Structure formats: structure tokens, C-alpha cells
Amino acid sequence: MGAALVVLVAAGAGWWLYRKLNGNIRTDTAAEAELRAYERERPTALVTDAQNILLIGSDSRAGDNRKYGRDDGGRQRSDTVILLHLAADRKSATAMSVPRDLMVEIPGCHGSGGKATGATTAQFNWAFEIGGTACTVRTVELMTKIRVDHHMVVDFSGFKDMVDAVDGVRICVREPIDDPAAHLRLAAGQHTLDGEQALGYVRARKSLGDGSDTERMDRQQQFLAALVNKVQSNGVLLNPARLYPVLDAATKSLTTDTGLDSLRDLYGLVRGMRNVPTDKVQFLTVPRRPYRQNANRDELVQPDADQLFGQLREDAPVTVVPAKNSGSGAAPGERADATTGTAGATPNPTYSGTNAADDLCKG
């Protein structure tokens, strides 16, 4: 009887935890409806079992995020957008950042009030303000011809909570940081950042490096690589006591499509990725350069960008190497094998970036 009681209590607690975590996740039904309406113009997935997930970091200042800046009536743009490609064999994952200031073709979309907008050429992060998640998905698909299978939107507070749930993430700072706008002050050297500090680190721009969004994306990729490495290296995925806070923080921060809006769906996604070696979790940025009409904006470098999009679309291997090892001095995201500005595509191009196995505190 005692044993039976223990089993019942454990089962009841497990069911309660499952329902709590499952209830944390928000479903973006509006985006689902919008994407269905434009199904005919969306690209077709070419490789069965490969998945492309669009990760969107919202810069909304509403609610708990108002301390990070002015709330312009609830308006928001996509502060960070990453297209995560999971190989069909689940032996590699490639995360491609799309610069917020990249000049792109934004298709006609519907805003939150249902008002239709015409197609326009504008910086990429306007798509999220114009038509929310669906407009961002369609803009990425129009640019890359890659079918986006799922999407997730994460806000500032959710990002902080996930970092705190893994007891912080170690990074190395080569020069002191004092950025009041990002609420961040750090001395040079090694630091284990808590959630608040981590948010400042990935948001800071004007006081670090050359003040460009390019350097900020580099830091975001490096930090996410360190976060992946921390989760895989400290037994979080195999320890229920440590996994629950991570799942609680993650599920509270997510707004997803219907294909990922349950704990079962997310578990299936994580289970498929848990055996991916850290050196096969790669980060890079779309090949880009300063926009010819405005140096404060970006444009794609062709044919390099289309070649990268084609590799991801066809689930072909993408090789990412650190800039310091590429021998070309290429910035992250640029073709690392290209020594000139000419086209000259190579059979197996490599791209400058980082991966989760890199230890940025060494060397």
C-alpha cells in the first residue's frame, strides 16, 4: 500500500508538472491563419525530415520589458532573427542570423488590425512590425526560397529566465564594458553572466567594438553557442531536477506555431537534437555587405548568399570555420574561402562563424 501510494503521488506530480509546462506555451493562431492564406506562394520543402525553424527575438518594450526602453504603443520589431536548420539525419544544426538592417523585399502582409499592406523594399526588421510573425516568415521564405516549417518568438524576459535556469553562462570579455543603455558594466576577463547581464551583453551595441549591428550579431551567436555547450555539458538534459527550471523558463517565454505548442512537440524536437555533437552546432550570418545606397544598412552578397541558401534548402553540408582560422580575414557570415570580391564559387565553400565547441576564453 505504501509503495502504491508513492507511485500514485509521483504520477500525480508528474501529470501536474506536465500540464503546467504545457500550459505555459502560447500558440500564434493568427500567424497560422495568415500563412495558410498564402500557402500557394510559399516554397516547397525539398528534403523529408530536415526541419527549418525561425527563431525570433522580439524587442517589444511592453509589460515586463518596459525598463529596456520606450514602449511605442506596443510596437515591436524583430531584434534578432535566426533560421535554424536541422539536418535530416540530426547529426548537425546550422543557425543562420539575418541582420535586422538587411534591405529585403517584404511581401504584402496583413497587420494586427487586418489592414493589408503592399509589397515594399525595406530593412528586414520592419516585416515584424508591419505584419508580425507571419510577415517575417514570408519575408525569409521569399529571400531564401527555404520552407520555414516552424517558428518561435522569444521575448527579453524569457531569455533572461533561461540563462538563470542553467545557473549562468561563461563568457570572456577582452575589453571593459560600460553600456548604460544595455544596463551592463563588466571588467575585462572571464565572467559567468546571469540572465540580466546576459541580456545586456547580447543587446549592447554602441559601446562595444565598432558599434555595428554586425558585431552584436557575432556576440549573440557566440553567446548562444556557449549556452548550448553549457546545457549539454552539465547534465541538464538528463537530470529532471535541473531540467524542470529550464523547461519552465523556456515554455513561459515561447509563442509558437501549432506544430510546436505542446511539451510533447518540444520534447520530440529536443530529443532529435540531443546527440548532435557541439562542433556540429554552427552559427553564421547571411553573406552581406554595406548597402550601396546607405552604408548604415546591409545588402546580400551574391552569388554567395544564394549558394548558402541552396545548401540549406537541399540539406547539403555547410562548413563554418572561425574567422581567425579561415586565412581570409572574413567577417562572420562571409565566405571564408573567398579572398577577393569576385564571384568564383567553389565546390565546397566554407563560411566564417562559430560553433558550440569553440571556447572563446582560450587563445
Side-chain angles (χ1 to χ4, degrees), residues 54 77-83 96-107 120-128 130 135-136 138-145 205 212-214 216-217 284-302 304-306 308-309 332-334:
L54 197 65
R77 294 181 184 170
S78 49
D79 197 56
T80 301
V81 172
I82 295 175
L83 182 64
M96 181 185 73
S97 293
V98 181
R100 56 183 289 169
D101 294 332
L102 183 70
M103 298 302 293
V104 297
E105 294 297 321
I106 299 176
T120 184
T121 299
Q123 63 189 68
F124 174 69
N125 69 339
W126 283 23
F128 197 62
I130 291 172
C135 195
T136 302
R138 293 177 56 227
T139 300
V140 169
E141 291 183 337
L142 180 64
M143 176 178 69
T144 65
K145 306 299 186 291
R205 181 174 64 173
S212 69
D213 199 49
T214 294
R216 178 166 66 169
M217 283 189 299
L284 74 162
T285 304
V286 296
R288 82 286 183 203
R289 64 189 171 202
Y291 185 43
R292 279 166 283 187
Q293 298 182 28
N294 183 347
N296 293 319
R297 301 290 180 263
D298 290 328
E299 65 181 10
L300 294 177
V301 173
Q302 297 293 7
D304 294 358
D306 281 345
L308 173 60
F309 301 155
E334 293 180 356

Side-chain angles (χ1 to χ4, degrees), residues 55-239:
L55 311 175
I56 302 172
S58 167
D59 71 351
S60 169
R61 301 313 199 269
D64 293 339
N65 296 327
R66 63 171 55 92
K67 70 178 180 179
Y68 301 113
R70 187 182 62 190
D71 179 10
D72 295 326
R75 295 170 59 187
Q76 56 184 354
R77 294 181 184 170
S78 49
D79 197 56
T80 301
V81 172
I82 295 175
L83 182 64
L84 175 63
H85 174 78
L86 304 179
D89 61 9
R90 294 301 188 269
K91 292 183 178 179
S92 66
T94 302
M96 181 185 73
S97 293
V98 181
R100 56 183 289 169
D101 294 332
L102 183 70
M103 298 302 293
V104 297
E105 294 297 321
I106 299 176
C109 297
H110 288 90
S112 57
K115 183 179 179 181
T117 61
T120 184
T121 299
Q123 63 189 68
F124 174 69
N125 69 339
W126 283 23
F128 197 62
E129 180 182 7
I130 291 172
T133 303
C135 195
T136 302
V137 169
R138 293 177 56 227
T139 300
V140 169
E141 291 183 337
L142 180 64
M143 176 178 69
T144 65
K145 306 299 186 291
I146 296 171
R147 173 78 177 207
V148 174
D149 302 296
H150 301 290
H151 61 263
M152 297 182 182
V153 180
V154 184
D155 68 12
F156 288 164
S157 296
F159 175 82
K160 289 192 311 177
D161 292 343
M162 282 188 282
V163 173
D164 286 333
V166 297
D167 297 327
V169 174
R170 184 175 69 111
I171 58 99
C172 282
V173 178
R174 304 200 181 281
E175 297 179 359
I177 299 174
D178 188 2
D179 191 321
H183 306 280
L184 183 67
R185 189 172 185 177
L186 295 172
Q190 290 190 24
H191 298 272
T192 297
L193 303 186
D194 61 23
E196 189 73 36
Q197 293 171 317
L199 180 59
Y201 182 72
V202 299
R203 290 182 62 232
R205 181 174 64 173
K206 296 180 180 179
S207 65
L208 293 179
D210 61 7
S212 69
D213 199 49
T214 294
E215 286 206 2
R216 178 166 66 169
M217 283 189 299
D218 297 344
R219 285 197 308 278
Q220 290 171 351
Q221 293 172 3
Q222 292 163 2
F223 185 87
L224 289 174
L227 177 59
V228 169
N229 197 33
K230 175 71 178 286
V231 170
Q232 288 198 349
S233 65
N234 69 354
V236 168
L237 296 179
L238 300 176
N239 185 336

